[in-house]
Amino acid sequence: MNVNSPNFSSKIKKTLFRSVVTNLTFWVLISIIAGVVLGHFSPENGVKMKIVGDTFVDIIKLFIGPIIFLTIVLGISGMGNLKKVGRIEVKSLAYFEVVSTIALAIGVAVAYLFQPGKIDKSGLALQDASKYTNHAAENFSWLQFFFSNFTLQVLLAAIVCGITLNFYQKREQTILVLECFSKVVFTGLKYVMYFAPLGAFGGMAYTIGKFGLETLIPLGKLMLCVYLTMALFVFLILGSLLKYYKINMLSILKYIKQELLLVLGTSSSEAALPGIMVKLEQMGCSKSVVGLVIPTGYSFNLDGTSIYLSMSVIFIAQLYDVHLSFFEILTVIGILMITSKGAAGVTGSGFIVLASTLTALHKIPVEGLAFLLGVDKFMSEARAITNLIGNTVATIIISKTERDFTELNLNPVSEE
């Protein structure tokens, strides 16, 4: 065929056009833009779209339990070596604590370097933060955290079932049945994901319609610092870890771009949990490592949340011109090393953790949380995206250290 012929050129254009309009990522991006436009120019209608975004996230959440359970049970039962299961969990928790502590320290350092709290306080519309701060510190407990965290409950149940299955006489038949269920669940998820653009549209339209673009102006400096710090953490810290294993961070981000856009639109990293588990397996990580690391990471490896929490504490201290000594700064990091692990699966978790930390310090006014209410929604996207990237990198690293990683495959996953 003559490549210079008009027919050949026309076929190329049609192929490119078809590949674009049938690409789910393209429609998610278009939906995000449409949501911003609707929320800005018709706020009342934008707010009404909340139910669309919430419904999509709620449907996705229905898949989280079955996918975590089936993935872990099949992974452990197929692993054979139960010592390896314990080793992966211990290694994962150690990695999570070290990396999230680094995230906390970077958040504090950047907050002191750029001092986002040193802003003009006039004109800031304070909201009532009492519903987030009233007896938050007293009411928070690890027992409550466990029983309110569905992911942790499923994780524990799956580990027990996976270990028990290794001693079951009809193990092979049971595994075949579970694999059939797994195929059904992932097929259902595939079709649900076709509605991802609607979820992204609803979430973004509500955000802009409810809070307005002008909300970004008074606390723009804080937002800029948060976003820059998270970018610094992703490319400098996490990027360096990947580089050690000769993996490029930009290639990974390109590979999971659909999940990142979904998180951007819905402000929920949970919406991308099933998809990221599938992609990590297709990338080369073993099913057992993915099944153990990702669910655990969603509760204990919240890098974006750690950065946000540490910067917020320093930000509020700067607002009230409260000087913190070096020892008090270390105390903040130490408290957040523990309390930040409770920032998942609890309603209003971010403010509960912040309130608990400020109350423990007995120095920074808890009422300062009111300053964050206006822009917290806009920073939640950055937190969720960083959390997702952090858990993706953690899974790759753990899989590499376990030597349970096949040849890296970053070919685009079919969205048909």
Side-chain angles (χ1 to χ4, degrees):
M1 180 181 290
N2 185 3
V3 295
N4 295 318
S5 67
N7 288 337
F8 181 82
S9 177
S10 177
K11 287 183 178 180
I12 290 295
K13 290 179 180 179
K14 288 180 179 178
T15 301
L16 289 174
F17 177 76
R18 191 181 301 113
S19 65
V20 169
V21 297
T22 59
N23 188 290
L24 187 60
T25 303
F26 170 77
W27 289 111
V28 170
L29 183 58
I30 291 297
S31 298
I32 289 174
I33 296 173
V36 171
V37 172
L38 176 64
H40 179 61
F41 291 103
S42 183
E44 64 280 2
N45 289 321
V47 171
K48 292 177 181 178
M49 294 298 105
K50 183 178 187 294
I51 188 173
V52 178
D54 288 351
T55 300
F56 176 76
V57 173
D58 288 341
I59 293 174
I60 288 292
K61 287 180 179 180
L62 294 177
F63 286 86
I64 292 176
I67 286 178
I68 290 175
F69 182 82
L70 291 169
T71 302
I72 293 177
V73 172
L74 290 171
I76 293 177
S77 61
M79 192 178 292
N81 185 356
L82 295 181
K83 289 183 179 180
K84 184 176 180 180
V85 176
R87 186 174 68 247
I88 291 175
E89 283 295 352
V90 171
K91 188 181 294 185
S92 299
L93 291 173
Y95 171 91
F96 295 158
E97 193 60 57
V98 170
V99 175
S100 59
T101 301
I102 293 174
L104 288 170
I106 290 178
V108 170
V110 173
Y112 268 100
L113 180 62
F114 292 98
Q115 298 190 344
K118 299 293 183 180
I119 58 176
D120 181 13
K121 303 180 188 62
S122 61
L124 284 178
L126 290 180
Q127 303 178 43
D128 182 16
S130 60
K131 63 178 179 179
Y132 297 101
T133 61
N134 285 345
H135 58 269
E138 308 94 90
N139 284 357
F140 181 79
S141 70
W142 288 105
L143 189 63
Q144 179 189 18
F145 168 53
F146 175 79
F147 282 107
S148 64
N149 194 312
F150 178 68
T151 301
L152 279 182
Q153 295 169 21
V154 174
L155 175 64
L156 180 60
I159 291 174
V160 172
C161 289
I163 293 174
T164 304
L165 190 56
N166 277 283
F167 301 98
Y168 185 50
Q169 289 183 347
K170 297 182 179 180
R171 174 172 169 270
E172 298 299 330
Q173 297 95 312
T174 306
I175 289 177
L176 287 175
V177 173
L178 291 176
E179 286 178 343
C180 289
F181 275 116
S182 181
K183 289 179 181 179
V184 171
V185 171
F186 279 107
T187 300
L189 175 65
K190 171 185 174 182
Y191 289 109
V192 170
M193 288 306 297
Y194 287 136
F195 295 95
L198 290 177
F201 169 77
M204 191 57 69
Y206 168 76
T207 299
I208 302 300
K210 177 70 174 178
F211 301 103
L213 291 176
E214 65 275 6
T215 314
L216 304 180
I217 298 174
L219 299 177
K221 191 175 179 181
L222 173 63
M223 285 188 58
L224 181 62
C225 285
V226 169
Y227 275 79
L228 286 177
T229 304
M230 293 187 184
L232 177 68
F233 176 80
V234 167
F235 289 102
L236 184 61
I237 304 301
L238 299 182
S240 298
L241 291 174
L242 287 180
K243 189 175 182 181
Y244 178 80
Y245 291 99
K246 297 181 172 57
I247 300 176
N248 185 271
M249 172 59 80
L250 290 177
S251 299
I252 298 297
L253 296 181
K254 182 179 179 181
Y255 181 72
I256 63 172
K257 62 181 182 297
Q258 181 179 317
E259 284 69 31
L260 295 176
L261 287 172
L262 185 59
V263 170
L264 177 64
T266 62
S267 300
S268 170
S269 56
E270 286 186 328
L273 188 150
I276 202 67
M277 292 179 74
V278 173
K279 284 196 171 179
L280 282 167
E281 285 185 42
Q282 294 172 334
M283 182 191 299
C285 298
S286 69
K287 178 186 287 289
S288 56
V289 173
V290 173
L292 290 170
V293 176
I294 286 292
T296 310
Y298 261 65
S299 292
F300 293 98
N301 188 39
L302 306 172
D303 298 329
T305 303
S306 296
I307 291 172
Y308 167 76
L309 292 173
S310 60
M311 292 194 75
S312 295
V313 171
I314 304 304
F315 171 75
I316 295 173
Q318 292 171 351
L319 280 177
Y320 288 93
D321 198 24
V322 174
H323 175 72
L324 296 176
S325 66
F326 181 72
F327 176 77
E328 288 170 330
I329 294 173
L330 291 180
T331 302
V332 168
I333 295 176
I335 293 172
L336 288 175
M337 281 174 62
I338 301 173
T339 57
S340 62
K341 302 301 179 293
V346 180
T347 303
S349 57
F351 284 95
I352 290 176
V353 171
L354 279 174
S356 301
T357 305
L358 297 180
T359 303
L361 286 173
H362 298 292
K363 192 169 184 179
I364 304 173
V366 180
E367 292 75 15
L369 289 176
F371 283 91
L372 299 175
L373 294 180
V375 294
D376 178 75
K377 179 65 178 174
F378 289 98
M379 289 187 285
S380 66
E381 286 88 353
R383 294 199 299 267
I385 287 175
T386 306
N387 290 340
L388 178 66
I389 297 172
N391 283 310
T392 299
V393 172
T395 307
I396 296 173
I397 299 301
I398 300 299
S399 192
K400 282 284 190 179
T401 59
E402 284 292 312
R403 298 181 180 178
D404 208 356
F405 193 97
T406 59
E407 184 177 351
L408 183 66
N409 175 28
L410 294 178
N411 293 322
V413 178
S414 173
E415 295 171 348
E416 296 179 0

